[in-house]
């Protein structure tokens, strides 16, 4: 087998890394800023309806919105999601109308419009769900089942809000198994003793399945 050839770049002795001035670094930082890279796109998209606009104005608004969102104020993002959900719903309505108009005329058009209508509907629903998560935050439902000695089960729902950070690393004070002091499972005899659930304090004594009864002793004559 032949040796694997690797292409190496020849470095000339007099070749040195470019030395950039502070002005050049500042210009590169400005040009690569997200608000400045997005401003030309927004200006181009809005030109058809509003005519030529100032990219500097777009960039300034985007920069301020980024600072506001970084401080935790997501009012603009909530308005965006609400507007998008209505726009997607309008698309669903129009595509559904076109689907109905082509019924019995063109099967291909019906399939195309129906597929696009369902996609718009799904995106609208996803946008509404994203809005709900943005407003209410993540919420987890933990369901606890408590069994009484009589065999009756009581279901209790507890809601835990996750805010991120160190709170998510906690176990929410819920052990993997309940100790002897926790709820117990009913034994074979629901009116007799109950069988405690094993915990972390060693094995608990198990009651006699036949129940504890006093033994009778024969009387000696």
């Amino acid at each position: 087998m032949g040796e694997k050839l690797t292409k190496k770049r020849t470095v000339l002795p007099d070749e040195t890394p470019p030395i950039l001035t502070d002005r050049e670094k500042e210009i590169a930082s400005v040009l690569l800023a997200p608000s400045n890279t997005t401003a030309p796109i927004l200006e181009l998209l809005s030109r058809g309806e509003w005519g030529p606009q100032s990219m500097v104005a777009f960039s300034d608004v985007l920069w301020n919105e980024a600072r506001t969102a970084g401080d935790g104020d997501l009012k603009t993002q909530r308005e965006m999601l609400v507007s998008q959900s209505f726009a997607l719903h309008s698309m669903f309505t129009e595509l559904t109308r076109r689907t109905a108009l082509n019924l019995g005329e063109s099967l291909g058009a019906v399939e195309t419009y129906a597929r696009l209508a369902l996609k718009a509907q799904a995106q609208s629903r996803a946008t509404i769900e994203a809005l709900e998560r943005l407003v209410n935050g993540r919420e987890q439902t933990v369901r606890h089942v408590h069994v009484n000695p009589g065999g009756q089960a009581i279901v209790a729902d507890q809601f835990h809000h996750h805010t991120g950070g160190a709170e998510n690393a906690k176990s929410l004070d819920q052990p993997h198994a309940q100790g002897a002091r926790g709820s117990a499972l009913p034994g074979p005899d629901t009116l007799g003793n109950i069988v405690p659930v094993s915990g972390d304090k060693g094995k608990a004594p198990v009651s006699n399945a036949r129940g504890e009864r006093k033994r009778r002793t024969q009387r000696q004559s």
Side-chain angles (χ1 to χ4, degrees):
M1 296 178 65
E3 295 181 359
K4 185 177 180 180
L5 300 178
T6 58
K7 186 177 181 181
K8 296 183 179 180
R9 179 175 177 270
T10 303
V11 180
L12 300 177
D14 58 346
E15 185 177 1
T16 57
I19 301 177
L20 300 177
T21 63
D22 293 339
R23 177 61 177 172
E24 290 174 332
K25 294 179 180 179
E26 182 181 358
I27 293 176
S29 178
V30 171
L31 294 177
L32 294 177
S35 57
N36 293 331
T37 57
T38 308
I41 301 175
L42 295 178
E43 195 278 332
L44 181 62
L45 293 175
S46 62
R47 187 179 300 176
E49 294 292 335
W50 305 95
Q53 302 294 321
S54 171
M55 287 191 299
V56 177
F58 277 108
S59 178
D60 184 68
V61 172
L62 288 172
W63 189 88
N64 290 328
E65 289 293 340
R67 301 286 80 75
T68 302
D71 294 335
D73 186 358
L74 301 177
K75 179 181 178 181
T76 301
Q77 285 69 28
R78 291 194 292 269
E79 294 178 357
M80 290 172 55
L81 291 176
V82 171
S83 301
Q84 291 174 12
S85 65
F86 275 99
L88 290 167
H89 176 70
S90 299
M91 293 176 61
F92 165 75
T93 304
E94 175 62 20
L95 291 169
T96 303
R97 186 185 68 85
R98 297 192 181 192
T99 301
L101 290 176
N102 285 275
L103 288 176
E105 301 293 335
S106 174
L107 180 60
V110 169
E111 292 179 351
T112 300
Y113 285 130
R115 182 173 63 254
L116 294 175
L118 293 177
K119 286 185 177 181
Q121 182 191 45
Q123 289 299 322
S124 178
R125 181 172 61 251
T127 304
I128 295 174
E129 292 175 353
L131 177 63
E132 182 181 4
R133 289 193 299 269
L134 182 63
V135 174
N136 299 326
R138 293 189 302 159
E139 187 177 80
Q140 180 183 7
T141 304
V142 179
R143 176 164 294 180
H144 301 276
V145 179
H146 304 279
V147 181
N148 291 335
Q152 182 180 3
I154 301 176
V155 180
D157 291 337
Q158 294 183 1
F159 298 93
H160 301 280
H161 296 273
H162 297 274
T163 56
E167 293 296 332
N168 290 336
K170 296 182 180 180
S171 61
L172 298 178
D173 297 330
Q174 294 295 330
H176 295 286
Q178 293 180 344
R181 61 182 177 180
S183 301
L185 299 177
D189 184 5
T190 57
L191 298 180
N193 297 326
I194 57 178
V195 181
V197 179
S198 60
D200 54 356
K201 295 184 178 181
K203 296 182 179 180
V206 180
S207 61
N208 191 341
R210 297 182 178 180
E212 296 182 359
R213 299 179 180 178
K214 296 182 179 180
R215 296 182 178 181
R216 298 182 179 179
T217 58
Q218 296 182 355
R219 300 175 60 183
Q220 298 179 357
S221 55

